[in-house]
């Protein structure tokens, strides 16, 4: 499990919390004004429980016999039965969750701006407070709550007694013993009434963040005292004091959530994550030094499971408290437990929920669909860049980390999904950029260039060390094919704890990365370095190990390995299907590029014609140009329909390569058995064919000749499946496998990448490899494979607070001059400087984290 500490159980006075995630009390304003339970508040807490949280502290229940301002009440017995039904409803969706009720006593506030202070309370009013809490706890227990939490934080009565601003001169104020007297009496009375077998916690302030307010120095003393009284946990919050509140509007009461103190209760986007963990750590240290093992709850913008795990593992806290984080995504726990942190809908820390409370409105989250009272189920909201990425890369996170200079952390985010970050940063067609919301403001973010910069910057430092992933499973997995799909699957399976062996027929690993893409686009040392990373992670790669029907076969591999992934790609060029193909001088595009990349001597004539419009065709044309040839590309459709990457086509044209659009070969011309030219016909585009593109039709009487002593055919590729014999079913010329699980009809055999789909992009192959690894893991663990998930909700430009951003020109990737670069195979794209990369990262709108509150 990725987060073992976070999902370990915790015993608290006879009750077992199934994990260390606590939903701390947060106002919803969903109770009735007179304190009764409503269907809306039932729905809210049931939705929260469905997400797998370990414990829930239900928002403040008032122990006073008065109007509760849309808070629950436990001031008399009439509320017990409906609270019992409320608790039963939560348990019906999560039988393991532990449910607590927070008990609150508050001082009066008037619309005139007057508010009651502890100095205003008469001794007889103070005297009844402990019994009010005690009776509330008895009712909570009768209603079925597993525990109660005494609210001693923020603007509450008990917090005000504990504060240094308590200026009472009698026994309930002045010095520490006076300030702690009433809270002590409340704890003792509650324990006596509720019983020694019932869990009681308290929420305190680690820091008030107001003038003369408590700091950690005072809070540590409070924590020690509460621990000595036998409290079962201490939850540490901060801020939200009336002493720091903004001046209220006319005829409106003061609101404690305003002012700096209020902002520190709910840290905003400009605060770093975990900004208040140090408060819980300080209280916990004081409690431990005093000899008590009382669990301490940390809160304060803990939005992601990596941070939560670190807080627990380093002993800064025992439980992670969340309020807004679980508002934004109640499924946070189940996603974290499943190892899918990048699917968490991240709290924007925008303050929308707090501001709703200030307006005395029902509290909802800005991230939810407009008009919804709760998050949908399932809940998956993503920026458009991530939705467009075949691998589902968390682009928003790594760009933000890069903007702050955290390149190593940014690379870790990328490598969660892509073990070839520097490679992808060079060859990906970046569909993410076409969907980027920023393009509606000016231009899309140069996402792929940033990815390349991050990887190159980290590797340039030379500080990375890679250790083998621990082997935790006995099963072994074989991967046939060391291309991007196969190596990605192997890497992920090794990370999961399996022994993995990759069988590759060629003398070098990498598949089309090493033998298909020319070095001017993808230097070999870049690929080699990333394959070495995969090897060092625990993957065995056997080159010169072809799988053949009569040698090392699929059947023999299955005897030794418990699962097999077939990822042999599509390397076999399709024939032109025209007269004259037997002549010398006709080469296949894939074979031509493979020979160049393997360092073999390749001879081409002075004039080369390349047939095709895909990436192989353009790569072959640009490679031939670097060998000194005059090159013409013949493509049967228009430029707009050309499948090759647009920037590669433009680069080819800059390098002097001629492209004949709307033309198709009709026959090869040869002299003495060697190609001397190619006869072509002009075409026009007719009705769409099955691919959805308009079908090229030859134009009568339009024949023309392209002079060439070498013709390179690059009209498409297909797999060579002869090594399988008839062991696996095919779909046409490709292997047949389930698209989401990569399962073939043969148990334990999986297939993915180009061998199944036909030639696709490298990022799509990587995505297929990851899907296969997940499916193989589930197969070997005898778990049911997940069905296809619902498409995520995508954040649109209308959901972004655009006024926060200025128009800034997109950074252009520097390139070597065309007249120089065609002299050899040196890399064309130079890469961003650090300054350019930081500028570009700062252009990111961080969609979802700067929401438009007026939408």
């Amino acid at each position: 499990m990725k987060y073992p500490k976070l999902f370990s159980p915790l015993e608290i006075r006879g009750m077992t919390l199934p994990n260390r995630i606590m939903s701390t009390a947060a106002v919803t304003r969903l109770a009735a004004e007179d304190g009764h339970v409503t269907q809306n508040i039932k729905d809210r807490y049931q939705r929260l429980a469905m997400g797998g949280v370990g414990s829930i502290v239900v928002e403040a229940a008032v122990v006073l016999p008065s109007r509760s301002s849309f808070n629950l009440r436990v001031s008399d017995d009439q509320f017990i039965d409906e609270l019992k039904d409320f608790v039963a409803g939560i348990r019906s969706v999560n039988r393991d969750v532990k449910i607590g009720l927070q008990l609150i006593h508050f001082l009066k506030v008037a619309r005139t701006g007057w508010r009651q202070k502890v100095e205003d309370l008469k001794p007889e009013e103070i005297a009844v407070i402990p019994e009010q809490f005690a009776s509330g706890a008895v009712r909570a227990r009768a209603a079925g709550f597993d525990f109660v939490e005494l609210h001693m934080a923020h603007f509450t009565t008990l917090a005000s007694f504990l504060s240094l601003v308590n200026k009472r001169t009698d026994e309930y104020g002045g010095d520490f013993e006076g300030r702690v007297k009433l809270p002590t009496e409340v704890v003792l009375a509650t324990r006596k009434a509720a019983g020694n077998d019932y869990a009681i916690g308290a929420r305190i302030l680690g820091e008030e963040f107001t003038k003369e307010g408590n700091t950690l120095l005072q809070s540590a003393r409070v924590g020690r005292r509460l621990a000595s009284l036998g409290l079962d946990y201490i939850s540490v919050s901060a801020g939200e004091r009336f002493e720091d509140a903004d001046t209220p509007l006319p005829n409106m009461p003061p609101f404690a959530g305003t002012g700096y103190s209020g902002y520190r209760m709910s840290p905003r986007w400009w605060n770093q994550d975990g900004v208040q963990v140090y408060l819980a750590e300080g209280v916990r240290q004081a409690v431990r030094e005093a000899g008590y093992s009382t669990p301490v709850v940390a809160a304060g913008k803990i939005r992601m499971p990596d941070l939560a795990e670190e807080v627990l593992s380093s002993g800064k806290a025992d439980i992670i408290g969340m309020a807004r984080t679980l508002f934004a995504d109640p499924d946070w726990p189940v996603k974290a437990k499943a190892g899918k942190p990048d699917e968490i809908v991240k709290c924007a820390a925008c303050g929308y929920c707090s501001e709703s409370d200030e307006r005395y409105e029902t509290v909802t989250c800005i991230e939810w669909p407009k008009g919804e009272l709760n998050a949908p189920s399932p809940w998956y909201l993503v920026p458009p860049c991530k939705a467009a990425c075949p691998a589902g890369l968390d682009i928003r996170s790594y760009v933000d980390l890069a903007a702050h200079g955290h390149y190593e952390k940014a690379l870790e985010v990328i490598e969660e999904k892509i073990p070839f970050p520097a490679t992808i940063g060079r060859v990906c067609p970046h569909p993410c950029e076409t969907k980027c919301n920023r393009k509606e403001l000016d231009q899309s973010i140069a996402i792929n260039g940033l990815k390349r910069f991050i990887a190159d910057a980290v590797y340039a430092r030379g500080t990375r060390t890679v250790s083998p992933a621990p082997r935790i499973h006995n099963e072994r997995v074989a991967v046939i094919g060391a291309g991007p799909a196969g190596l990605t699957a192997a890497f992920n399976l090794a990370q999961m704890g399996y022994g993995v062996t990759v069988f590759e027929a060629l003398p070098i690993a990498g598949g089309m990365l090493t033998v298909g893409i020319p070095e001017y686009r993808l230097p070999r040392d870049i690929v080699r370095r990333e394959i070495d990373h995969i090897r060092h992670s625990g993957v065995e790669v056997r080159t010169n190990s072809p799988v053949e029907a009569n040698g090392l076969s699929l059947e023999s591999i299955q005897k030794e390995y418990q699962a097999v992934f077939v990822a042999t790609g599509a390397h076999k060029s399709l024939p032109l299907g025209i007269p004259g193909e037997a002549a010398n001088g006709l080469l296949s595009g894939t074979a031509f590029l493979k020979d160049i990349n393997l360092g073999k001597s390749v001879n081409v004539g002075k004039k080369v014609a390349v047939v095709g419009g895909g990436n192989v065709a353009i790569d072959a044309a640009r490679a031939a140009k670097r060998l000194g040839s005059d090159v013409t590309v013949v493509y049967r459709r228009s430029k707009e329909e050309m499948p090759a990457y647009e920037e590669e086509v433009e680069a080819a044209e800059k390098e002097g390569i001629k492209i004949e659009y709307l033309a198709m070969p009709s026959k090869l011309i040869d002299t003495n058995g060697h190609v001397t030219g190619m006869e072509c016909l002009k075409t026009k585009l007719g009705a769409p064919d099955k691919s959805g593109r308009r079908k090229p039709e030859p134009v009568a009487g339009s024949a023309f000749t392209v002079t060439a002593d070498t013709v390179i055919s690059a009209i498409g590729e297909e797999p060579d499946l002869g090594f399988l014999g008839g062991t696996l079913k095919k779909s046409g010329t490709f292997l047949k496998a389930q698209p989401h699980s990569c399962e073939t009809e043969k148990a334990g055999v999986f297939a993915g990448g180009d061998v199944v789909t036909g030639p696709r992009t490298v990022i799509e192959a990587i995505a297929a490899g990851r899907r296969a690894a997940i499916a193989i893991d589930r197969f070997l663990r005898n778990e049911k494979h997940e069905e296809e998930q619902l498409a995520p909700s995508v954040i649109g430009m209308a959901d972004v607070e655009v006024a926060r951003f200025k128009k800034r020109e997109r950074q252009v990737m520097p390139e070597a001059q065309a007249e120089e670069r065609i002299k050899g195979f040196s890399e064309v794209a130079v890469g961003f400087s650090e300054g350019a990369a930081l500028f570009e990262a700062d252009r990111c709108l961080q969609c979802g984290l700067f929401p438009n509150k007026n939408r």
Side-chain angles (χ1 to χ4, degrees):
M1 183 180 291
K2 190 171 184 180
Y3 308 110
K5 192 69 176 178
L6 188 60
F7 290 97
S8 62
L10 178 65
E11 286 282 334
I12 296 181
R13 197 174 287 264
M15 72 172 177
T16 302
L17 307 186
N19 60 52
R20 307 296 181 97
I21 306 167
M22 173 181 282
S23 169
T24 53
V27 174
T28 64
R29 295 195 177 275
L30 291 174
E33 190 173 8
D34 57 4
H36 286 285
V37 175
T38 64
Q39 187 60 48
N40 284 341
I41 200 168
K42 288 181 182 179
D43 293 343
R44 171 68 60 84
Y45 280 93
Q46 285 181 18
R47 178 66 185 91
L48 179 61
M50 284 169 58
V53 68
S55 55
I56 294 174
V57 181
V58 174
E59 63 192 84
V62 183
V63 298
L64 288 163
S66 62
R67 292 171 69 87
S68 62
S69 186
F70 302 97
N71 290 115
L72 295 170
R73 274 176 59 186
V74 284
S75 53
D76 59 62
D77 291 348
Q78 67 166 307
F79 297 99
I80 294 176
D81 287 342
E82 61 189 77
L83 287 171
K84 188 180 295 185
D85 179 64
F86 173 66
V87 171
I90 298 173
R91 292 197 200 287
S92 70
V93 297
N94 184 343
R95 64 182 182 181
D96 298 321
V97 67
K98 300 306 175 188
I99 309 165
L101 184 65
Q102 187 183 66
L103 306 181
I104 181 174
H105 186 289
F106 54 78
L107 298 169
K108 298 174 184 176
V109 179
R111 286 184 177 271
T112 61
W114 173 85
R115 66 179 183 86
Q116 192 177 35
K117 300 179 181 179
V118 295
E119 293 84 358
D120 300 326
L121 291 176
K122 298 175 182 178
E124 58 268 26
E125 293 176 305
I126 296 174
V128 300
I129 292 175
E131 176 55 32
Q132 289 172 330
F133 274 96
S135 299
V138 170
R139 295 185 184 102
R141 183 167 191 174
F145 286 96
D146 298 296
F147 63 99
V148 291
E149 179 178 281
L150 308 177
H151 200 346
M152 301 184 183
H154 309 312
F155 56 85
T156 64
T157 302
L158 296 184
S160 298
F161 270 88
L162 285 170
S163 176
L164 284 172
V165 300
N166 173 2
K167 304 299 184 182
R168 290 186 70 96
T169 57
D170 62 4
E171 59 182 330
Y172 288 102
D175 58 11
F176 176 77
E177 291 298 333
R179 297 195 306 273
V180 82
K181 180 174 174 56
L182 178 60
T184 297
E185 292 174 351
V186 167
V187 172
L188 295 175
T190 304
R191 170 61 67 209
K192 182 178 179 181
N196 287 326
D197 60 341
Y198 193 63
I200 302 171
R203 189 161 218 210
I204 67 171
L205 289 176
E207 180 98 40
E208 292 187 19
F209 294 113
T210 60
K211 184 179 179 180
E212 292 191 8
N214 284 0
T215 68
L216 183 54
L217 182 66
Q218 289 74 41
S219 302
R221 292 187 71 184
V222 171
R224 282 194 295 267
R225 178 58 56 89
L226 294 176
S228 73
L229 297 174
L231 274 187
D232 297 301
Y233 73 84
I234 299 170
S235 180
V236 182
S237 189
E240 199 186 30
R241 296 288 294 162
F242 278 109
E243 286 79 6
D244 190 49
D246 291 346
T247 303
L249 297 172
N251 299 316
M252 289 294 289
F255 200 90
T258 58
Y260 179 71
S261 176
Y263 277 75
R264 287 307 297 261
M265 179 197 70
S266 302
R268 300 299 202 265
W269 63 267
W270 54 81
N271 295 110
Q272 68 183 43
D273 281 14
V275 65
Q276 274 146 215
V277 169
Y278 77 98
L279 298 174
E281 182 181 15
V283 171
R284 187 179 188 272
Q285 182 179 350
V287 168
R288 295 295 179 274
E289 288 175 352
Y292 302 102
S293 59
T294 312
V296 173
V297 183
K301 205 181 174 191
I302 302 175
R303 297 189 292 177
M304 298 303 288
D306 287 313
L307 174 59
E309 182 73 11
E310 188 275 327
V311 169
L312 295 173
S313 299
S314 60
K316 296 174 183 176
D318 306 284
I319 300 171
I320 302 299
M322 300 177 182
R324 297 176 304 161
T325 293
L326 294 172
F327 254 32
D329 192 349
D331 297 326
W332 194 104
V334 294
K335 290 174 181 176
K337 190 173 185 179
K340 299 178 179 179
D342 59 306
E343 293 188 7
I344 288 171
V345 179
K346 198 172 183 180
C347 169
C350 66
Y352 180 82
C353 52
S354 302
E355 292 158 8
S356 299
D357 186 24
E358 292 169 26
R359 294 190 298 267
Y360 293 88
E361 297 173 355
T362 298
V363 178
T364 56
C365 178
I366 190 70
E367 303 287 28
W368 299 345
K370 193 171 183 179
E372 293 286 330
L373 196 60
N374 288 305
S377 181
W379 182 217
Y380 191 20
L381 178 73
V382 299
C385 53
K386 179 176 180 178
C389 176
L393 191 58
D394 188 3
I395 296 165
R396 180 178 66 188
S397 289
Y398 80 70
V399 171
D400 183 50
L401 286 166
H404 291 280
H406 301 312
Y407 305 140
E408 289 84 359
K409 291 181 179 178
L411 186 59
E412 288 173 8
V413 171
I414 297 169
E415 288 181 334
E416 282 280 327
K417 296 290 179 70
I418 296 175
F420 297 97
T423 295
I424 284 296
R426 287 165 165 80
V427 303
C428 187
H430 43 77
C432 50
E433 294 183 20
T434 65
K435 298 295 183 181
C436 175
N437 278 330
R438 178 88 197 198
K439 71 180 187 299
E440 296 186 32
L441 180 63
D442 39 46
Q443 295 169 288
S444 62
I445 307 298
I447 295 169
N448 212 47
L450 281 171
K451 189 187 300 101
R452 168 184 169 159
F453 167 80
I454 291 164
D456 288 354
V458 173
Y459 283 117
R461 292 178 179 179
T463 56
R464 296 207 87 199
T465 57
V466 182
S467 301
R471 177 80 181 272
I472 60 175
H473 300 302
N474 293 326
E475 295 92 343
R476 300 172 65 204
V477 181
V479 176
I480 304 175
L487 288 174
T488 298
F491 175 76
N492 281 291
L493 286 162
Q495 294 291 310
M496 294 172 184
Y498 295 98
V500 187
T501 302
V502 182
F503 297 93
E504 170 57 52
L506 293 172
I508 186 171
M512 292 299 280
L513 299 180
T514 49
V515 301
I517 302 175
E519 281 216 72
Y520 64 80
R521 284 181 60 202
L522 181 59
R524 290 289 81 80
D525 61 332
I526 296 293
V527 185
R528 189 181 307 114
R529 182 182 67 200
E530 297 192 319
I531 293 174
D532 285 345
H533 179 131
I534 293 171
R535 281 190 164 112
H536 293 154
S537 297
V539 174
E540 179 188 8
V541 181
R542 299 182 187 176
T543 53
N544 294 307
S545 299
V547 177
E548 301 169 319
N550 299 318
L552 177 66
S553 65
L554 178 61
E555 290 86 348
S556 63
I557 287 174
Q558 279 194 286
K559 292 176 182 177
E560 188 176 350
Y561 296 88
Q562 285 68 54
V564 182
F565 178 49
V566 180
T568 48
H571 296 238
K572 183 179 175 183
S573 286
L574 297 174
L576 288 174
I578 59 175
E581 283 195 76
N584 291 324
L586 174 64
L587 306 176
S588 84
T590 52
F592 171 68
L593 292 171
K594 184 184 293 184
D595 287 347
I596 289 176
N597 286 320
L598 289 175
K600 295 181 179 180
S601 177
V602 178
N603 295 315
V604 290
K606 292 183 178 180
K607 291 186 176 294
V608 174
V610 179
V611 183
N615 289 313
V616 172
I618 298 300
D619 283 345
R622 295 181 69 190
K625 184 72 175 179
R626 282 157 172 77
L627 295 176
S629 301
D630 182 16
V631 184
T632 301
V633 175
V634 176
Y635 177 56
R636 59 185 181 159
R637 290 187 172 94
S638 67
K639 184 174 183 178
E640 290 70 30
E641 295 186 286
M642 203 170 193
Y645 304 157
E646 183 179 348
E647 57 263 41
E648 295 300 314
V649 176
E650 291 175 357
E653 291 176 327
K654 284 181 183 178
E655 292 170 2
I657 294 169
K658 181 182 178 182
I659 303 179
E660 289 278 1
Y661 296 104
L662 294 170
M664 60 188 297
S666 55
K667 71 175 181 179
L668 295 184
I669 303 169
D670 73 89
T671 303
N672 300 322
H674 195 283
V675 169
T676 56
M678 181 170 65
E679 184 182 278
C680 301
L681 297 172
K682 289 288 185 181
T683 63
K684 62 180 180 179
L685 298 180
D689 59 17
K690 61 181 180 181
S691 72
R693 294 181 297 167
R694 295 172 67 191
K695 185 177 180 180
E697 298 172 350
V699 176
S702 64
F704 66 98
T705 300
V706 175
T707 302
D709 41 21
T710 302
V711 174
I712 299 175
S713 171
I715 61 171
E717 298 78 42
E718 65 182 9
D720 185 351
L721 300 177
F723 73 96
L724 290 172
T727 56
L728 292 176
K729 282 187 179 179
K730 301 175 185 176
S731 177
T733 56
F734 304 101
L735 278 183
K736 188 173 184 180
Q738 295 298 317
H740 300 289
S741 67
C742 298
E743 293 173 292
T744 68
E745 84 290 345
K746 195 176 183 72
V749 179
F750 300 76
D754 291 359
V755 74
V756 172
T757 62
R760 297 283 179 88
T761 62
V762 175
I763 190 68
E764 287 174 294
I766 287 171
R770 181 172 172 80
R771 285 197 304 273
I774 293 169
I776 290 169
D777 175 55
R778 291 185 177 275
F779 167 76
L780 294 175
R781 305 271 61 82
N782 199 28
E783 296 174 0
K784 183 180 178 182
H785 185 78
E786 290 181 340
E787 298 297 325
E788 181 182 1
Q789 292 185 337
L790 294 175
S793 300
V794 178
I795 301 162
M797 190 61 162
D799 300 319
V800 179
E801 189 181 344
V802 184
R804 188 181 296 276
F805 302 91
K806 290 184 177 180
K807 289 189 176 183
R808 303 281 190 193
E809 283 192 13
R810 172 185 166 117
Q811 296 295 292
V812 177
M813 176 69 72
E815 293 183 345
Q817 293 297 313
E819 60 270 18
E820 291 299 319
R821 70 199 195 203
I822 62 173
K823 295 176 181 178
F825 283 80
S826 296
E827 189 171 15
V828 170
V830 176
F832 287 138
S833 67
E834 184 172 27
L838 292 173
F839 183 98
E840 191 63 22
D842 191 58
R843 294 181 64 240
C844 180
L845 301 178
Q846 288 291 299
C847 298
L849 299 184
F850 293 106
N852 177 10
K853 298 179 185 178
N854 298 316
R855 65 179 171 87

